[in-house]
């Protein structure tokens, strides 16, 4: 296989001809003639085993959320499929539970909890063209910015992934994956041609399997399970094979969508000191109604993606000053017909009838920077704008919840959201609900065509809370749980699939969905994530992981 990564940049025959390997530059002819096995043997890092007492250990047993710090017997750092097979076989033979870490962004303690062996895939990050399967290959350990940079700089294409550049491809893609280009191009899994997975059969033998979407592929069901079935369920993903369903020929520059060459970025806010409940209600209602009107697959607004950040109102007991903002971040296709007018009309529609004045966004909102420089929309090259809007670098303790919306919020949901965010009884500036644009091309795919069943929603919500002191865990979690439960009080405290809500996003895992103390709906967590696709996912689980080797607290049940 020809691959592109930090360690090597190898391009298959007929593709772009510039490469860099660990030893220096390689000419296109030599690269095209070199086989994948030769290339990998020449540049792969050796596997490493890190145990307690090693100076590296503390770095390798934590992700981005400092709530989850593990204590495995060992961390195996792997950089090839063969190394993954060996590490999995060793763990299975020894009877050790396995955890898998890609980018380290799992929102629950699924990677380390109860695991004796953790596989760190961060060095399994090669990206490139694989002529054997005629698809673009992305290592499961590559982070999203590595993927964007390699695909865009070399072939001018992208996957419609998330805005947080340090998220690992392994979890992001397998859970469905969406981002600021998804209304225009769909979900990341809509471009998943195949997946390479290390599985364990009934006899306990670890082996690598490649599964594709080809109708005659006997492992096609394993491919389907990875189009939204979530990470850590069926085996260890080593690489993804990417190509659109309409792609033909052997030129990788035609395999994936091309982003607009330029985008508009806008970031505006309302100060909580100026916001009345009527203003808050109108903004949230306007945003929802706009998406109801403008989320069809052929909408002229498919190139526009908004993030409405409903941040917690703060109150200074000493000065009585009110702080905090409600912010609206927007990315839109600057090359579309009437692009600036579309953006202006959207902004005017969201803030129609609001008495508070728009101003610059001056505070970080969740994982995203303030972006005060975009209080007037700026036109930027696509890659430059993608860097500007990148989230990440967050070292607070945190918790997360989610919801899909098929329509705008009900009046009761908006009122409950306002009450939770405006209260003076909880005074944390690092709490918010982020309402993301959804729909358009995402909804051009059937609910059973991939494992992602939510294919008619117009918005997706991410509830977030952050804090620093471990001693305050209970306080913040109690407020957060009460907030979420109050918004969905009419359906048992969770967004059950109905005319307005449509369950939860598996890439924002929430263990509370499994607890009847918090989920009083009678609807199982599996239904909230997977709806009618869960039965098929269980069949795939039984077939490819019959010993239930790959499991966590919300893994697919055998």
């Amino acid at each position: 296989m020809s691959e592109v990564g930090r360690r090597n940049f190898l391009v298959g025959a007929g593709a772009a001809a510039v490469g860099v390997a660990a030893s220096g530059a390689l000419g296109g002819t030599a690269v095209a003639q070199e086989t994948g096995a030769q290339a990998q043997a020449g540049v792969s890092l050796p596997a490493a085993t890190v145990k307690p007492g090693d100076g590296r250990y503390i770095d390798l047993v934590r992700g981005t959320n400092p709530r989850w710090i593990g204590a495995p017997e060992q961390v195996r750092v792997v950089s090839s499929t063969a190394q993954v097979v060996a590490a999995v076989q060793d763990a299975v033979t020894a009877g050790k539970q396995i955890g898998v870490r890609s980018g380290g962004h799992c929102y629950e303690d699924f990677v380390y909890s109860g695991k004796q062996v953790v596989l760190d895939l961060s060095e399994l990050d090669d990206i490139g063209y694989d002529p054997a399967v005629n698809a673009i290959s992305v290592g499961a350990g590559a982070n999203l910015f590595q993927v964007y940079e390699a695909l865009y700089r070399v072939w001018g294409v992208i996957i419609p992934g998330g805005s947080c550049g340090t998220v690992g491809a392994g979890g992001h893609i397998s859970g469905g994956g969406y981002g600021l280009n998804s209304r225009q191009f769909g979900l990341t899994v809509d471009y998943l041609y195949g997946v390479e997975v290390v599985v364990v059969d009934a006899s306990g033998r670890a082996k690598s399997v490649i599964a594709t979407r080809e109708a005659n592929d006997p492992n096609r069901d394993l491919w389907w399970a990875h189009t939204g079935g979530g990470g850590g369920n069926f085996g260890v993903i080593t690489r993804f094979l990417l190509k659109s369903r309409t792609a033909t020929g052997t030129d990788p520059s035609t395999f994936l969508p091309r982003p607009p060459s330029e985008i508009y970025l806008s970031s505006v806010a309302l100060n909580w000191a100026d916001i009345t409940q009527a203003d808050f209600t109108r903004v949230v209602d306007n945003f929802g109604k706009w998406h109801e009107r403008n989320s069809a697959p052929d909408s002229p607004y498919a190139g526009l993606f908004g993030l409405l950040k409903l941040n917690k109102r703060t109150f200074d007991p000493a000065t009585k000053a009110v702080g905090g903002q409600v912010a609206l971040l927007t990315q839109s296709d600057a090359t579309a017909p009437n692009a600036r007018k579309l953006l202006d009309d959207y902004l005017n529609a969201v803030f129609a009838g609001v008495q508070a004045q728009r101003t610059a966004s001056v505070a970080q909102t969740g994982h995203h920077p303030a972006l005060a420089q975009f209080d007037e929309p700026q036109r930027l090259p696509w890659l430059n704008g993608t860097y500007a809007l990148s989230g990440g670098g967050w070292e607070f303790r945190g918790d997360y919840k989610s919801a899909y919306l098929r329509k705008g919020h009900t009046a009761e949901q908006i009122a409950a959201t306002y009450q939770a965010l405006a209260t003076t009884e909880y005074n944390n500036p690092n709490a918010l609900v982020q309402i993301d644009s959804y729909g358009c091309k995402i909804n051009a795919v059937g609910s059973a065509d991939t494992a992602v069943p939510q294919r008619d929603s117009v918005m997706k919500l991410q509830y977030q809370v952050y804090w620093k002191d471990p001693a305050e865990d209970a306080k913040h979690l109690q407020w957060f749980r009460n907030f979420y439960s109050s918004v969905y009080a009419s359906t048992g405290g969770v967004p059950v699939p109905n005319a307005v809500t449509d369950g939860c996003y598996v890439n924002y895992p929430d263990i509370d969905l499994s607890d009847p103390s918090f989920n009083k709906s009678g609807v199982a967590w599996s239904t909230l994530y997977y709806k009618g696709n869960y039965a098929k996912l269980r069949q795939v689980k039984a077939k490819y992981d019959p010993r239930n080797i790959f499991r966590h607290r919300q893994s697919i049940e055998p």
Side-chain angles (χ1 to χ4, degrees):
M1 183 186 75
S2 301
E3 297 177 20
V4 181
R6 287 200 306 249
R7 295 181 299 281
N8 58 332
F9 177 3
L10 304 174
V11 185
V18 177
V20 177
S23 59
L26 294 176
T29 302
V31 172
Q33 292 176 345
E34 188 170 17
T35 68
Q38 291 168 333
Q40 191 176 63
V43 300
S44 288
L45 292 168
T49 300
V50 179
K51 298 181 179 181
D54 188 307
R56 297 167 291 177
Y57 182 82
I58 189 61
D59 269 321
L60 301 185
V61 296
R62 60 181 291 164
T64 59
N65 189 343
R67 288 179 67 196
W68 313 133
I69 298 177
E73 295 174 5
Q74 60 180 248
V75 178
R76 297 283 290 268
V77 182
V78 291
S79 61
S80 72
T81 299
Q83 292 173 10
V84 173
V85 172
V88 170
Q89 188 64 70
D90 288 348
V92 171
T93 300
K96 306 294 186 181
Q97 288 194 33
I98 300 170
V100 183
R101 182 189 191 277
S102 176
H105 284 257
C106 186
Y107 286 165
E108 290 287 1
D109 194 12
F110 293 166
V111 174
Y112 303 108
S113 180
K115 306 298 192 283
Q116 287 86 49
V117 178
V118 171
L119 272 62
D120 186 317
L121 307 184
S122 57
E123 297 307 314
L124 200 66
D125 63 351
D126 293 328
I127 303 165
Y129 172 60
D130 184 348
V133 292
N134 192 32
I136 291 173
S137 175
V138 171
N143 67 46
L144 292 182
F145 269 15
Q146 287 175 273
V147 177
Y148 298 159
E149 288 178 343
L151 298 187
Y152 187 66
R153 292 183 189 278
V154 176
W155 293 304
V157 299
I158 61 167
I159 55 171
S163 63
C164 184
T166 57
V167 167
H172 185 75
I173 297 176
S174 61
Y178 81 106
L180 278 66
N181 298 105
S182 287
R183 276 168 57 91
Q184 193 166 18
F185 301 121
L187 300 179
T188 57
V189 291
D190 297 339
Y191 299 90
L192 184 63
Y193 172 75
V195 61
E196 183 180 74
V197 193
V198 175
V199 298
V200 178
D201 64 21
S203 70
R205 183 173 68 94
K207 60 182 179 180
S208 173
V209 175
I210 292 180
T212 73
R213 65 171 180 246
E214 296 293 344
N216 61 352
D217 189 331
N219 298 313
R220 190 176 190 275
D221 53 352
L222 185 61
W223 159 81
W224 179 87
H226 285 87
T227 62
N233 281 313
F234 309 100
V236 182
I237 304 163
T238 52
R239 63 185 177 116
F240 299 96
L241 301 170
L242 303 172
K243 183 170 61 174
S244 76
R245 291 180 177 271
T246 59
T248 59
T250 59
D251 182 357
S253 68
T254 65
F255 286 180
L256 296 172
R258 289 180 173 270
S261 58
E262 293 182 298
I263 56 176
Y264 282 119
L265 286 187
S266 167
S267 179
V268 293
L270 306 176
N271 290 323
W272 262 111
D274 303 327
I275 297 173
T276 64
Q277 184 169 356
D279 280 342
F280 182 92
T281 300
R282 190 172 289 275
V283 167
V284 177
D285 189 56
N286 285 348
F287 193 75
K289 293 295 195 300
W290 184 92
H291 282 83
E292 288 182 24
R293 298 190 302 269
N294 296 286
S295 295
D298 60 350
S299 170
Y301 282 100
L304 185 148
F305 192 101
L307 304 91
L308 181 60
K309 304 267 197 168
L310 306 178
N311 298 291
K312 179 71 181 68
R313 178 181 184 266
T314 60
F315 180 74
D316 188 324
T319 65
K320 311 300 182 184
V322 172
Q325 293 183 313
V326 168
L328 178 63
L329 280 63
T330 308
Q331 174 183 299
S332 63
D333 182 352
T335 68
N338 302 311
R340 181 56 193 264
K341 184 178 187 303
L342 289 173
L343 174 59
D344 290 343
D345 288 350
Y346 151 83
L347 292 171
N348 290 334
V350 172
F351 293 105
V354 175
Q355 299 303 306
Q357 295 298 306
R358 282 184 250 176
T359 187
S361 178
V362 296
Q364 179 161 337
T365 55
H367 289 276
H368 287 101
L371 300 177
Q373 69 271 35
F374 297 110
D375 58 336
E376 287 293 327
Q378 292 188 33
R379 185 168 179 151
L380 297 173
W382 178 82
L383 189 59
N384 186 276
T386 298
Y387 290 147
L389 202 53
S390 171
W394 200 247
E395 281 296 320
F396 283 30
R397 303 170 74 80
D399 202 48
Y400 307 83
K401 297 179 182 294
S402 68
Y404 288 90
L405 286 188
R406 287 170 152 159
K407 295 182 178 179
H409 289 75
T410 66
E412 293 77 14
Q413 290 169 343
I414 297 175
T417 302
Y418 176 82
Q419 182 176 8
L421 295 177
T423 181
T424 59
E425 296 178 5
Y426 178 76
N427 203 27
N428 178 11
N430 299 311
L432 70 152
V433 54
Q434 176 180 304
I435 309 176
D436 288 350
S437 295
Y438 214 66
C440 292
K441 292 297 174 60
I442 298 170
N443 294 348
V445 176
S447 61
D449 292 344
T450 66
V452 178
Q454 293 91 355
R455 292 289 188 166
D456 63 359
S457 295
V458 299
M459 292 181 290
K460 182 184 281 189
L461 279 66
Q462 183 182 25
Y463 293 79
Q464 308 169 47
V465 63
Y466 305 96
W467 65 97
K468 292 183 178 180
D469 187 353
E472 296 184 346
D473 284 6
K475 178 183 76 171
H476 296 288
L477 290 173
Q478 180 180 8
W479 173 84
F480 195 51
R481 287 164 168 160
N482 290 341
F483 173 18
Y484 187 72
S485 295
S486 70
V487 176
Y488 306 106
S490 66
T491 53
V494 295
V496 300
N498 59 27
V500 176
T501 54
D502 201 23
C504 302
Y505 182 37
V506 69
N507 271 1
Y508 300 158
D510 176 10
I511 201 65
D512 288 349
L513 299 177
S514 304
D515 189 337
S517 300
F518 306 113
N519 176 5
K520 300 177 182 179
S521 69
V523 177
W525 63 268
S526 53
T527 300
L528 293 171
Y529 290 141
Y530 302 116
K531 298 174 60 177
N533 288 339
Y534 190 59
K536 183 175 178 180
L537 288 168
R538 292 190 69 184
Q539 292 172 2
V540 178
K541 174 74 169 180
K543 179 178 176 181
Y544 291 94
D545 186 20
R547 296 163 61 109
N548 197 24
I549 298 296
F550 303 99
R551 63 188 186 271
H552 52 73
R553 288 193 290 164
Q554 275 185 346
S555 54
I556 303 295
E557 297 163 305

